[in-house]
């Protein structure tokens, strides 16, 4: 950097050909050149060394390039290539001062840098000033001819070059008018163009295809300084608006935007240094590619760290965000607009391609947040659906109608959320998330529907269980010929009632007809299976039921009063009737009869087991019943035969005890001797009878003895003692005789004295217990039989009798017993 004033002159390339990248970047930043876009021009100046190039630029553009000090001799002043901002020129113009040609410092043969700098100027500059002496015009060995040859030769190395303006500045003009000098100069230029070697493609191309040639003349600065300054001021006016139509600048097809000028200049110089042909169109695309990518990357980085975007992204992580699409669109549009503004002057195809790439990266960056938002919207819509559906069902709305209404409202809310989340920079498709929400809603509807239907089914199954189990069990307890008919009637009535109510209950679900029929059939099957299960349970304890039925019929009369075995009962007939009742119960429990199909099970069982009818083959020697499917068989014929044998063996003792009780009752109530004994006693005791009649004292003595004996008889309960056996009775009487006599004497003495001593509690309890035992023995002599055969305890309540045994705990209603025995 030479100075720090407003023109900001900077050495772009030093004398050794090193490009000053830092200096150029500083120049662009200081002068704000990067913001100019395509609105700028570059003016370069070439010419022999010490021809006043820097002086001309300083006066023309108000720059401060270093000038030669004439008092110190003529020598090289500018080394390499310098640039500076042309102060006061619009549009923004850069002046480029090139090292002079034909300098002694580099020698006569070192023209490499001369050609490189000339090519660099032609590739970058819009206007090239050719500084030349007036006295060289028309001379064959003029100093400007090598320079022009150099310019034309390097021009051929530009692939598809742009049209550049060559402004020839004639210095130290003489009195010869310019209109005479210009044709001579143009003729000299054309001759040089003709002799320059050109590629075959441009062999016949005229000079005007490559250059706009302009000529101007300036007076001597040293001799006519004021006139020189006046002429320079006039020339300066031509550089205003130079890039607009009619201006000095030529074709600007290869111009790169100002923001890419630094990179473009670096790459052009690198290619020139490598001695390669310079493809300006390709170079333009390359610069556009690099710069657009740099701009895009810079915008993407700023977007990634944008506070608004980060806040929005964080908010989306925790829940849905209102206005997401609008806010995100604004953020994206900001950076896309900045890209468009900065890359607007670069190659259109490259610019558009890089913008698409930037859009793709930016959308990839924000798309996860969009998906998160859709996830929140889907979750919120699903939760709203669940709560609304539950609320509507609580209010008693129909299930299907509630499901449709909630689905429609929640999907509408989701669609509105998606519309709010959409951004104008992308056409993101939310259909997959919407389809997932729809699947979630459908799955929840199906789940709730199944739960509600299961609840309904369970409720009606429980209702059927309550309506069927206990009545069916009661019917089996009172099993008779009409048991299965009653069960069928009960099953049909309760099932149809439940099915009708269930059909009404599921109407709001709007199920298809096959599903409804399937559910109704399932309810019917459940009721039937309930009866079948109860039948199998009862069949499992059929032996206990048979013994219970036998005991009921055998031990009670037709009025259901306990039977007292007085000797008048026909035990054989009673036993037969009780066994027949038990066999009829067995026949009822042998098979399931829910299909109203007739069978011969009862006849077969009664004829084979009760009547003992022998046929060949034995109908009970089988594992199935005739006309009864195996699945409806509860007790096989073989099992019936086995149960009958066990039943008979376990009830035989009851019959035996009843017979023994009957005989004991007869003995206990028959104290008179046989008639022949009475006759013998009358005949043989006639004399003694007459003796008693003749002597009343004997009769009185006998009467007193009778009373004492009767009292002793009653006190010692002689009949009761002998009921347990003769030997036991004798031992008991002998042990009780003396205490009884003493008690009688004591009572007689007390009666004689006029008062009576109350009995002790022990005596009272003994007397009461003994009397109770005697009375019970007389009333129910078969109670001990039932206890030994069935091993059951009996407790009596107001309305029922409860039997408990090792295998059964069952409560029977008295009314059921009455109904059973009345058949």
């Amino acid at each position: 950097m030479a100075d720090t004033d407003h023109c900001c002159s900077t050495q772009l390339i030093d004398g050794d050909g090193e490009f000053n990248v830092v200096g150029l970047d500083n120049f662009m930043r200081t002068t704000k050149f990067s913001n100019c876009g395509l609105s700028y021009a570059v003016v370069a100046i070439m010419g022999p060394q010490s021809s006043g190039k820097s002086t001309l630029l300083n006066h023309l553009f108000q720059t401060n390039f270093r000038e030669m000090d004439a008092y110190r001799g003529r020598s090289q002043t500018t080394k390499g290539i310098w640039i500076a901002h042309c102060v006061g020129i619009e549009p923004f113009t850069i002046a480029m001062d090139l090292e002079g040609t034909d300098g002694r410092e580099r020698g006569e043969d070192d023209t490499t840098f001369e050609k490189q700098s000339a090519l660099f100027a032609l590739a970058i500059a819009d206007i090239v000033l050719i500084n030349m002496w007036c006295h060289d015009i028309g001379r064959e060995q003029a100093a400007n001819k090598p320079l022009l040859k150099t310019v034309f030769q390097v021009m051929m190395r530009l692939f598809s070059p742009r049209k550049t303006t060559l402004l020839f500045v004639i210095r130290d003009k003489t009195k010869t008018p310019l209109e005479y000098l210009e044709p001579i100069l143009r003729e000299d230029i054309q001759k040089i163009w003709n002799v320059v070697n050109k590629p075959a493609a441009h062999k016949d191309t005229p000079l005007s295809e490559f250059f706009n040639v302009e000529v101007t003349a300036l007076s001597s600065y040293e001799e006519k300084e004021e006139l020189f300054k006046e002429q320079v001021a006039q020339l300066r006016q031509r550089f205003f608006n130079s890039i607009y139509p009619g201006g000095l600048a030529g074709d600007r097809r290869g111009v790169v935007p100002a923001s890419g000028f630094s990179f473009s200049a670096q790459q052009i110089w690198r290619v020139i240094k490598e001695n390669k042909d310079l493809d300006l169109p390709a170079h333009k695309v390359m610069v556009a590619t690099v710069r657009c990518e740099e701009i895009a990357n810079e915008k993407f980085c700023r977007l990634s760290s944008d506070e608004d975007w980060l806040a929005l992204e964080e908010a989306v992580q925790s829940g849905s965000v209102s206005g997401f699409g609008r806010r995100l669109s604004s953020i994206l549009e900001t950076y896309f607009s900045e890209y468009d503004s900065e890359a607007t002057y670069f190659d259109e195809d490259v610019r558009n391609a890089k913008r698409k790439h930037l859009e793709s990266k930016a959308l990839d960056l924000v798309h996860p947040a969009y998906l998160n938002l859709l996830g929140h919207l889907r979750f919120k819509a699903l939760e709203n659906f669940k709560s609304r559906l539950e609320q509507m069902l609580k209010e008693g709305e129909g299930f299907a109608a509630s499901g449709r209404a909630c689905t429609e409202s929640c999907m509408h809310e989701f669609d509105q959320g998606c519309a709010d989340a959409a951004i104008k920079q992308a056409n993101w498709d939310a259909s997959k998330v919407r389809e997932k929400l729809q699947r979630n809603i459908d799955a929840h509807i199906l789940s709730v529907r199944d739960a509600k239907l299961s609840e309904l089914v369970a409720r009606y199954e429980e209702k059927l269980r309550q309506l069927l189990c206990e009545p069916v069990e009661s019917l089996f307890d009172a099993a008779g010929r009409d048991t299965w008919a009653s069960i069928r009637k009960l099953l049909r009535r309760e099932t149809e009632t439940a099915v009708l109510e269930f059909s009404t209950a599921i109407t709001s679900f709007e199920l298809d007809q096959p599903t409804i029929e399937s559910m109704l059939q399932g309810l019917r099957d459940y009721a039937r299976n309930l009866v079948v299960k109860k039948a199998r349970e009862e069949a499992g304890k059929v032996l206990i039921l048979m013994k219970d039925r036998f005991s009921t019929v055998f031990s009670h009369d037709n009025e259901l009063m306990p039977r007292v075995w007085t000797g008048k009962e026909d035990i054989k007939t009673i036993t037969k009737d009780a066994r027949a009742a038990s066999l009829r119960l067995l026949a009822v429990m042998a098979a399931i009869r829910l299909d109203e199909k007739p069978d011969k099970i009862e006849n077969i069982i009664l004829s084979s087991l009760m009547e003992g009818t022998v046929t060949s083959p034995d109908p009970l020697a089988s594992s199935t019943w005739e006309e009864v499917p195996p699945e409806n068989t509860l007790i096989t014929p073989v099992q019936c035969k086995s149960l009958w044998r066990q039943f008979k063996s376990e009830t035989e003792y009851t019959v035996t005890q009843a017979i023994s009780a009957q005989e004991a009752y007869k003995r206990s109530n028959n104290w008179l001797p046989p008639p022949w004994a009475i006759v013998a006693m009358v005949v043989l005791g006639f004399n003694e009878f007459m003796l008693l009649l003749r002597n009343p004292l004997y009769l009185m003595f006998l009467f007193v003895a009778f009373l004492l004996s009767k009292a002793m008889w009653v006190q010692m309960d002689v009949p009761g003692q002998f009921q347990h056996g003769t030997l036991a009775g004798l031992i008991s009487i002998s042990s009780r005789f003396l205490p009884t006599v003493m008690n009688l004497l004591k009572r007689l003495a007390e009666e004689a004295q006029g008062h009576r001593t109350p009995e002790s509690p022990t005596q009272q309890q003994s007397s009461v217990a003994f009397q109770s035992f005697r009375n019970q023995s007389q009333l129910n002599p078969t109670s001990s039989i039932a206890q030994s055969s069935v091993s059951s305890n009996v407790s009596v309540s107001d309305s029922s009798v409860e039997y408990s045994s090792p295998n059964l705990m069952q409560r029977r209603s008295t009314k059921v017993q009455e109904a059973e025995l009345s058949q």
Side-chain angles (χ1 to χ4, degrees):
M1 181 81 61
D3 291 305
T4 57
D5 57 7
H6 48 281
C7 68
C8 195
S9 60
T10 303
Q11 187 177 37
L12 183 63
I13 300 173
D14 63 15
D16 297 327
E18 295 298 325
F19 197 95
N20 185 9
V21 178
V22 176
L24 178 58
D25 291 341
N26 188 28
F27 170 84
M28 296 179 66
R29 183 169 56 255
T30 303
T31 60
K32 299 182 180 180
F33 173 48
S34 301
N35 300 329
C36 294
L38 294 177
S39 183
Y40 74 95
V42 179
V43 180
I45 189 168
M46 300 181 186
Q49 180 178 305
S50 302
S51 60
K53 299 186 298 299
S54 299
T55 301
L56 175 59
L57 292 179
N58 290 339
H59 285 82
L60 186 61
F61 300 119
Q62 298 179 12
T63 57
N64 60 354
F65 293 120
R66 182 182 176 188
E67 300 180 7
M68 183 190 71
D69 188 354
Y71 294 101
R72 295 184 180 182
R74 305 181 70 85
S75 62
Q76 188 181 48
T77 303
T78 302
K79 294 183 179 180
I81 301 175
W82 289 69
I83 59 174
H85 175 213
C86 299
V87 180
I89 301 296
E90 290 295 335
F92 190 100
T93 303
I94 297 175
M96 182 182 296
D97 189 8
L98 273 64
E99 180 179 318
T101 61
D102 196 23
R104 64 182 179 82
E105 284 78 8
R106 290 191 180 272
E108 183 179 351
D109 299 326
D110 188 4
T111 59
T112 302
F113 185 81
E114 178 182 324
K115 294 180 179 179
Q116 291 175 345
S117 59
L119 180 57
F120 182 76
L122 288 174
I124 290 180
D126 300 289
I127 305 169
V128 178
L129 302 180
I130 306 296
N131 200 39
M132 59 183 302
W133 300 112
C134 181
H135 55 76
D136 283 337
I137 297 175
R139 294 176 57 189
E140 188 64 28
Q141 302 297 325
N144 64 336
K145 285 190 176 181
L147 174 60
L148 290 177
K149 288 183 180 179
T150 300
V151 170
F152 295 156
Q153 287 174 355
V154 298
M155 195 66 179
M156 298 297 102
R157 295 181 57 187
L158 293 177
F159 179 80
S160 183
R162 60 179 178 146
K163 200 170 185 180
T164 305
T165 297
L166 294 181
L167 178 56
F168 288 85
V169 181
I170 302 174
R171 302 295 297 277
D172 296 347
K173 177 179 173 295
T174 61
K175 295 180 180 181
T176 306
L178 179 61
E179 56 268 20
Y180 293 115
L181 295 175
E182 184 176 351
I184 299 173
L185 178 58
R186 289 182 178 277
E187 184 179 353
D188 291 342
I189 294 171
Q190 186 63 46
K191 289 180 180 179
I192 297 171
W193 173 257
N194 292 334
V195 298
V196 170
N197 293 327
K198 296 182 286 294
H202 299 292
K203 189 173 184 179
D204 298 326
T205 303
L207 177 65
S208 58
E209 291 289 329
F210 291 92
F211 299 103
N212 291 325
V213 179
E214 298 286 341
V215 180
T216 187
L218 298 176
S219 300
S220 173
Y221 172 69
E222 294 179 354
E223 295 176 2
K224 302 176 181 180
E225 181 176 354
E226 293 302 326
L227 181 59
F228 173 83
K229 291 181 179 180
E230 182 182 346
Q231 292 173 343
V232 168
Q234 294 176 358
L235 178 62
R236 174 183 172 86
Q237 296 302 316
R238 299 185 63 182
F239 288 93
F240 281 91
N241 301 321
S242 59
I243 63 174
Y244 300 119
L248 276 178
D251 184 9
R252 293 177 55 81
R253 287 177 300 172
V255 177
V256 297
S259 60
F261 180 83
S262 175
F263 177 77
S264 175
Q266 294 175 49
Q267 295 302 314
I268 289 175
W269 183 249
R270 181 182 62 81
V271 172
I272 292 173
K273 287 279 289 183
E274 293 175 357
N275 198 27
K276 297 180 179 178
D277 291 340
L278 189 59
D279 189 347
L280 289 182
H283 173 76
K284 179 181 178 182
V285 172
M286 184 267 293
V287 172
T289 302
V290 174
R291 279 298 298 146
C292 289
E293 186 169 353
E294 289 178 352
I295 297 171
N297 290 338
E298 187 263 339
K299 300 308 174 187
F300 180 77
C301 291
R302 286 182 56 196
L303 171 63
S304 302
S305 57
D306 186 273
E307 293 182 358
D308 292 339
W309 154 244
L310 294 178
L312 187 62
E313 183 182 31
E314 184 177 358
V316 169
Q317 296 294 331
S318 57
S320 59
V321 179
S322 178
F324 175 85
R326 174 180 52 79
R327 293 167 61 183
L328 182 57
S329 296
S330 176
I331 294 172
L332 292 176
E333 185 61 27
T334 298
Y335 291 101
F336 291 161
S337 298
E338 289 181 2
Y339 171 86
D340 293 338
S341 176
E342 295 182 23
T344 186
Y345 301 113
F346 290 102
D347 183 81
E348 182 179 3
D349 294 337
V350 175
R351 180 179 71 244
N352 293 337
K354 292 302 177 182
R355 192 185 198 280
K356 290 181 180 179
H357 185 62
L358 173 61
E359 290 178 355
S360 177
K361 289 174 63 177
L363 295 178
D364 289 343
L365 175 67
V366 301
H367 191 252
Y370 173 77
L371 293 180
N372 283 340
L373 180 60
L374 291 186
H376 292 308
L377 293 174
R378 180 185 64 82
F379 179 79
K380 181 180 179 181
L382 183 59
E383 291 302 312
N384 288 342
F385 172 82
K386 292 178 180 179
S387 60
R388 291 177 187 175
L389 179 62
E390 182 179 1
Q391 183 63 29
M392 293 185 70
L393 293 179
K394 286 182 179 179
E395 294 173 357
E397 299 291 335
F399 183 85
S402 300
R404 285 194 298 269
C406 293
T407 300
E408 183 177 353
S409 63
C410 291
M411 293 304 293
H412 180 67
E413 289 180 3
F414 177 79
D415 291 339
Q416 286 182 332
C418 291
D420 181 67
I423 62 175
K424 65 181 182 180
Q425 289 84 2
N427 187 24
W428 284 329
D429 186 11
S431 61
K432 291 185 178 180
V433 181
R434 192 180 194 279
E435 291 172 0
K436 185 177 181 180
L437 173 61
Q438 186 66 58
R439 290 196 299 269
N440 294 147
I441 290 176
D442 293 341
H444 183 71
I445 290 176
L446 184 61
S447 175
V448 174
R449 189 193 72 176
D450 291 344
K452 294 294 182 182
L453 290 176
S454 298
E455 183 180 340
L456 276 176
V457 170
R459 186 191 310 166
Y460 280 92
E461 286 180 350
E462 177 63 19
K463 185 177 181 180
L464 283 172
R465 190 187 67 80
Q466 295 176 357
L467 293 173
L468 291 176
C469 285
E470 292 185 3
V472 168
E473 184 177 353
S474 178
L475 288 172
F476 279 130
D477 288 343
R481 289 186 176 88
D482 297 332
T483 297
W484 281 106
S486 300
I487 291 176
R488 288 194 296 269
K489 183 178 179 181
L490 174 68
L491 175 63
R492 183 165 50 252
R493 182 180 70 248
E494 300 298 344
T495 301
E496 291 307 316
T497 301
V499 165
L500 181 60
E501 294 178 357
F502 183 75
S503 300
T504 304
I506 64 175
T507 302
S508 64
F509 289 88
E510 298 183 8
L511 303 174
D512 56 275
Q513 195 59 33
T515 302
I516 295 177
E517 292 298 331
S518 175
M519 297 186 72
L520 296 180
Q521 187 59 42
L523 202 60
R524 295 188 184 97
D525 292 342
Y526 175 81
R528 182 184 178 94
N529 292 334
L530 205 62
V531 174
V532 170
K533 181 180 179 181
K534 180 56 66 175
R536 295 190 184 278
E537 289 179 2
E538 295 297 316
K541 52 186 180 182
V542 66
L543 181 60
I544 297 174
L545 295 176
M546 289 173 65
K547 289 191 293 183
D548 192 20
R549 176 64 60 84
F550 177 84
S551 177
T552 301
V553 176
F554 187 78
S555 302
H556 297 77
D557 57 18
N558 291 337
E559 297 179 356
L560 296 180
M561 297 299 295
R563 207 184 286 275
V564 179
W565 302 105
T566 62
K568 299 178 182 179
E569 296 82 5
D570 186 356
I571 293 181
K572 183 175 181 181
T573 302
I574 294 173
T575 301
K576 185 176 181 180
D577 291 343
R579 287 179 175 174
S582 299
L583 283 178
R584 281 193 291 272
L585 186 146
L586 177 62
V588 171
M589 302 300 298
I592 299 171
R593 301 174 178 87
L594 294 178
D595 298 327
E596 300 188 25
K597 293 181 180 179
D599 58 67
K600 302 177 181 178
I601 295 178
E602 183 175 347
N603 295 334
I604 293 174
I605 288 179
L606 290 176
S607 62
S608 299
L609 300 179
M610 191 68 193
E611 299 173 5
T613 304
V614 179
T615 59
S616 182
D618 186 358
L620 296 181
S622 173
S623 60
T624 57
W625 296 103
E626 185 179 355
E627 299 179 354
V628 177
E631 61 272 11
N632 289 342
T633 301
L634 296 176
I635 306 173
T636 64
V638 175
Q639 291 174 337
C640 288
K641 200 169 185 179
S642 175
L643 286 170
W644 176 249
R645 286 195 299 268
Q646 186 176 354
F647 170 78
K648 286 182 66 178
S649 65
E650 293 185 9
T651 56
E652 194 70 35
Y653 180 73
T654 303
V655 178
T656 303
Q657 289 295 319
I659 295 173
S660 300
Q662 194 178 52
E663 292 177 352
Y665 183 85
K666 290 179 180 180
R667 287 195 302 270
S668 65
N669 290 279
N670 189 12
W671 295 98
L672 295 176
W676 62 270
I678 295 174
V679 173
M681 290 174 63
V682 170
V683 173
L684 295 177
F686 181 77
N687 294 331
E688 288 75 7
F689 178 72
M690 293 304 294
L691 180 62
L692 291 175
L693 291 177
R694 293 189 188 103
N695 191 353
L697 293 175
Y698 285 146
L699 186 61
M700 184 177 295
F701 177 77
L702 290 175
F703 180 71
V704 172
F706 172 75
L707 291 177
L708 292 174
S709 300
K710 183 63 175 177
M712 293 288 292
W713 184 276
V714 173
Q715 287 291 325
M716 290 188 294
D717 190 19
V718 174
Q721 299 300 326
F722 278 99
Q723 282 184 354
H724 300 288
T726 303
L727 180 60
L730 291 174
I731 295 173
S732 178
I733 291 172
S734 62
S735 63
R736 294 164 60 92
F737 179 77
L738 185 58
T740 303
V741 172
M742 294 301 293
N743 189 30
L744 288 175
L745 293 176
K746 183 178 179 181
R747 288 184 180 183
L748 289 174
E750 291 173 352
E751 290 289 338
Q753 294 176 1
H755 66 275
R756 182 177 180 182
T757 304
E759 294 181 355
S760 63
T762 305
Q763 292 173 341
Q764 291 178 359
Q765 290 176 0
S766 175
S767 176
V768 172
F770 187 81
Q771 187 66 26
S772 176
F773 173 79
R774 190 171 71 126
N775 293 339
Q776 289 180 2
S777 300
Q778 292 175 353
L779 291 173
N780 191 14
T782 62
S783 61
S784 61
I785 299 172
Q787 290 175 0
S788 62
S789 62
V790 185
S791 299
S792 63
N793 299 322
V794 182
S795 61
V796 182
S797 64
D798 292 339
S799 61
S800 63
V801 181
E802 182 176 280
Y803 294 82
S804 63
S805 68
N807 297 323
L808 171 67
M809 178 65 69
Q810 181 167 332
R811 190 171 185 88
R812 291 180 176 277
S813 172
T814 304
K815 295 180 180 180
V816 174
Q817 295 175 352
E818 291 176 356
E820 177 185 81
L821 296 176
S822 64
Q823 294 178 351

